[in-house]
Amino acid sequence: DVKVTQSSRYLVKRTGEKVFLECVQDMDHENMFWYRQDPGLGLRLIYFSYDVKMKEKGDIPEGYSVSREKKERFSLILESASTNQTSMYLCASSFGDREYNEQFFGPGTRLTVL
Amino acid sequence: QKEVEQDPGPLSVPEGAIVSLNCTYSNSAFQYFMWYRQYSRKGPELLMYTYSSGNKEDGRFTAQVDKSSKYISLFIRDSQPSDSATYLCAMTPYNTDKLIFGTGTRLQVFP
């Protein structure tokens, strides 16, 4: 079974703090993704990565950065957390070499910024 | 206008009912169409995917794609309380991994 794990289920941070969200997958997937999910807005892509040390901006990258030093691990960084970054953050991974690559999601991290 | 539109619901039906969930889209380049199911406090999981137009059936679930109308549907027959979840449609152009999601429809099936 594919397993995508995220470091925390719930996180509470203060405005201005640096926040790290970690994601690990155990299926040797090439692709990894970070989304945020908000009521009425659905899932929106923040960043994705097709390979180690490679990253591409998604639809809403402002205020975020990412790091992928190892194939199995993809980190999302909030350099200076703000209240409008309160959200559910979902990590996903997929193979990159097939005609269609199913994305497998982690359980999510609910981040609250006070 | 959003690229993918989906009624947020909630949709509340009795057990055994036939459920119809729908999405419309504007980008004619979309070729792969997916339905994800998301239970409360869980990540989405893939339920079905179809390529281009047509129907696909898997047990009680049927996915339909009408590219001429830019309209996709998910039908659930003999709905069960365990089907209560949020259903997200997603789509992507050919040979790319960037998915565009609908906002999700919350479904409640009551006994």
Side-chain angles (χ1 to χ4, degrees):
Chain A
D1 261 5
V2 176
K3 193 134 189 194
V4 179
T5 56
Q6 296 184 228
S7 50
S8 306
R9 293 302 303 272
Y10 300 94
L11 211 51
V12 180
K13 295 292 181 181
R14 298 239 174 242
T15 302
E17 280 193 78
K18 190 167 186 175
V19 182
F20 292 88
L21 302 182
E22 303 282 335
C23 175
V24 177
Q25 49 93 6
D26 67 356
M27 275 299 290
D28 202 33
H29 284 166
E30 290 82 13
N31 302 334
M32 296 189 76
F33 308 82
W34 275 107
Y35 295 89
R36 62 178 282 177
Q37 185 175 28
D38 300 287
L41 297 176
L43 272 76
R44 293 179 292 167
L45 182 64
I46 305 171
Y47 267 97
F48 59 104
S49 170
Y50 286 143
D51 202 350
V52 175
K53 297 191 185 294
M54 180 273 178
K55 61 186 178 186
E56 293 279 346
K57 291 180 180 179
D59 299 317
I60 51 164
E62 297 79 18
Y64 304 94
S65 62
V66 290
S67 172
R68 193 166 180 201
E69 297 296 319
K70 293 185 178 181
K71 190 175 185 180
E72 68 272 17
R73 189 179 295 269
F74 193 34
S75 302
L76 180 69
I77 303 152
L78 286 66
E79 294 290 341
S80 178
S82 63
T83 55
N84 62 13
Q85 293 178 309
T86 292
S87 185
M88 170 70 85
Y89 289 87
L90 289 160
C91 174
S93 70
S94 72
F95 287 112
D97 58 353
R98 305 182 183 178
E99 186 180 0
Y100 168 67
N101 300 294
E102 176 185 350
Q103 290 190 20
F104 294 85
F105 284 83
T109 295
R110 185 165 292 283
L111 172 68
T112 302
V113 182
L114 302 175
Chain B
Q1 184 191 2
K2 291 180 183 175
E3 272 190 294
V4 179
E5 300 275 1
Q6 185 175 9
D7 188 330
L11 185 60
S12 187
V13 301
E15 184 175 355
I18 296 174
V19 175
S20 172
L21 304 167
N22 311 293
C23 288
T24 58
Y25 64 95
S26 57
N27 188 346
S28 58
F30 289 142
Q31 294 280 351
Y32 288 93
F33 303 90
M34 287 128 266
W35 287 96
Y36 280 81
R37 179 175 60 195
Q38 185 176 21
Y39 290 115
S40 181
R41 291 185 286 279
K42 302 270 189 182
E45 56 179 353
L46 183 68
L47 196 57
M48 296 187 73
Y49 86 91
T50 51
Y51 171 67
S52 197
S53 283
N55 291 1
K56 187 172 185 178
E57 192 172 317
D58 184 2
R60 297 183 296 110
F61 298 89
T62 300
Q64 283 187 353
V65 175
D66 181 350
K67 290 191 71 182
S68 62
S69 302
K70 297 191 180 69
Y71 189 88
I72 70 170
S73 301
L74 177 71
F75 296 96
I76 307 174
R77 289 184 298 281
D78 188 25
S79 56
Q80 303 294 310
S82 58
D83 295 328
S84 298
T86 296
Y87 290 80
L88 300 147
C89 64
M91 45 201 80
T92 182
Y94 179 73
N95 207 26
T96 178
D97 299 305
K98 191 175 171 182
L99 292 178
I100 308 299
F101 283 87
T103 52
T105 299
R106 191 155 65 92
L107 171 66
Q108 293 172 319
V109 182
F110 56 89

